[in-house]
Amino acid sequence: MLHNFLTSGFEFTKNELELKLKYQFFNLLLAFNMSAVALAGIFRFYRGENLQCFVDFVYTIISAIMIFLVRRNKKIFPLIVHSAMIVALITVSLTFMINVHTHNFIGISWFYLEVLVVFFLTDKKFSLSIIAISVLIILSTMYIEMGMEGIKAIAFGLIPFLVFSLFVSLYEKRNSIQNELLREQYKLLEAYSYNIENFDFVTVLPNKNLFIKNLNHKIDSVEKREKAFSLIKINIDDFKTINDTYGHSFGDKLLRETVTRLQKVLYKENNLSRIGADEFIVISESITADELMKIAEDVQKEMQQKVSIDNKNVFITCSIGIALYAKDGNDVETLMKNIDSALHDAKKYARNSIRFYNTQLTQHTDEKLSMIAELKHAVEYKEFEVYYQAQIDASINKLVGMEALVRWNHPTKGFIPPDKFIPFAEEYGLIKDIDYLVMQQAMKHFMYWKQQYQDIGRLSINLSVKLLETPSYLQDIKQIMQNLSFSPHELELEITESYIMNDIEKSIEVLREISELGIELAIDDFGTGYSSLAYLQKLPFNKLKIDHSFIKNITQDTDEANLVKSIIHIAQALNLSVIAEGVETEAQKEFLIKNGCNFIQGYYYSKPLSAADMFRYIQTLQY
Ligand code: C2E
Ligand code: CA
Ligand code: CA
């Protein structure tokens, strides 16, 4: 009952334990004091000490009001305590002053009590002020009443008083240090439990829990701006087998190696997290199928490199699922479900595959994947055929050469134009084989025609930039020419302007080497690559090919016409021969001849022709 009386009134949280103790103590003190003074008041009433009796009752009423106030409101508790302490100090001091002759040591004991209570209930500053005032009051009262004798008499009494307060102060200090340490430990504990909850300890990546939080956050921030993003989920193929074969410590090292590789490729993506034993996921800002395919392929390429751990070499592959926000779900649950289904499909299809959840995008990937497979097949079974387009000196109607243009003779789809497959072949490292096939086939045809007709000019072949980047290309070209006894002076290689300008120093080196073999060099698609004239002068080119896009409108558009005129002037100034591509009409031909460009290639004379047709075409030109 007593406990209830002391603590009821308001609820304390666990953190307010100290406040609760103070509250109980203060209430107990007041209640005790109030009862004692009330009892004294009754005695005094019977003894007829009316004034004292009145004072006692006033005191009792004030105490009752304080208890009442404190029980009502937690906030005013400190205020009440401070006021109570000041009232108590005044009361103790007055009692001491009045009774200084008879009970001065008893009076000082009352001060002790006050100090003890004040230390427990209030802050240090306030407590020290109360001590200082108490000492002042004791000393000055003794001095006024008894002079220096009084001070001497009381001095020894004050020493324990001060020692006592020093102890209390030290005790407080120790308490606060202890609290500080506890708080620090608590913070560490908090950080530790945060880490356990949110991070994977093998790879130090965010775990599924944190990833889901991040994903939620991403969805929230994106919803406001209606921006899309995508998820890329990566699963190591056959990780379980590796783990079972080589042990878990090996598996852990492999996971860490995987993370290093993923970070290398995915440094631009967000929140790389490990959300399962062998599953990783990122949030990507890329949203087009091409961009995402590129990322996924880069990941696969990086993962396929040999892994050496503990003197063992393993090769791993990974399967990848991709889902897009908001097309494939606009909440965490749907997105995660759909990306799982994409990954599942990828796994089912084959190791090392990539799947989009979105079927439209999947179709795109399917097409791309089957294109790569078919292209590989085409290289193996030499499904390519070379077509030839005549290059004519229009001023005298004479054949000056021919350009070899590849066609893919697909078994079911028919002829596929080079623009449709060359970019793929370049990307997947098949261009070298294709270009060499074209070179061999074209050289054989060219040599045969030459035997028949003698003067047929030069054979012009397109070289992919990717080929020029492989280290052995020069040796390979030499080898092909040697095998067929093809003279380098009859070969012309076309290199696109944009390649040359990409890395000018490298180009100078590469082109010199080719030129030194006696092969002629032509700048293809001139006008589309922002050449610098200063550099053109330094490059060992023989010919400049004006891109067909400029020829199209030369007879209607004066700007275009002026442009072509100045290209011709540039060629003349640089001592290069010049040829126009894509010439389709008589008017275009006349314009070019009038302005000094006699060499012409285009439908006006002939479309690209098969070898058999070309053979007949040359015949018509000769006779
Ligand atoms: P390119 O070197 O600019 O080839 C000229 C293209 O213009 C050819 O397209 C040709 O058919 C077309 N053309 C020729 N005359 C006319 C005309 O009067 N009017 C119009 N509208 N077009 C004309 P094609 O054969 O489709 O070749 C496209 C591109 O593919 C070529 O552009 C070349 O960069 C590349 N390519 C072709 N064969 C090979 C090859 O064996 N190896 C490499 N690496 N690239 C090749
Ligand atoms: Ca060309
Ligand atoms: Ca061209």
Side-chain angles (χ1 to χ4, degrees), residues 9-13 16 19-20 23 69-80:
F10 52 77
E11 286 304 311
F12 295 92
T13 65
E16 290 171 330
L19 183 65
K20 182 177 172 178
Y23 175 84
L69 286 176
V70 166
R71 288 172 64 88
R72 281 194 63 159
N73 193 338
K74 225 192 299 194
K75 279 203 199 105
I76 59 162
F77 179 66
L79 180 76
I80 302 269

Side-chain angles (χ1 to χ4, degrees), residues 403 494 524-525 545 547-548 581:
E403 179 175 2
E494 297 189 5
D524 206 355
D525 304 342
K545 297 191 81 177
D547 190 59
H548 53 80
E581 289 184 307

Side-chain angles (χ1 to χ4, degrees), residues 391 403-405 460-463 494-496 524-525 545 581 601:
Q391 298 174 333
E403 179 175 2
L405 292 159
S460 207
I461 288 178
N462 292 287
L463 268 203
E494 297 189 5
I495 293 153
T496 56
D524 206 355
D525 304 342
K545 297 191 81 177
E581 289 184 307
Q601 178 183 344

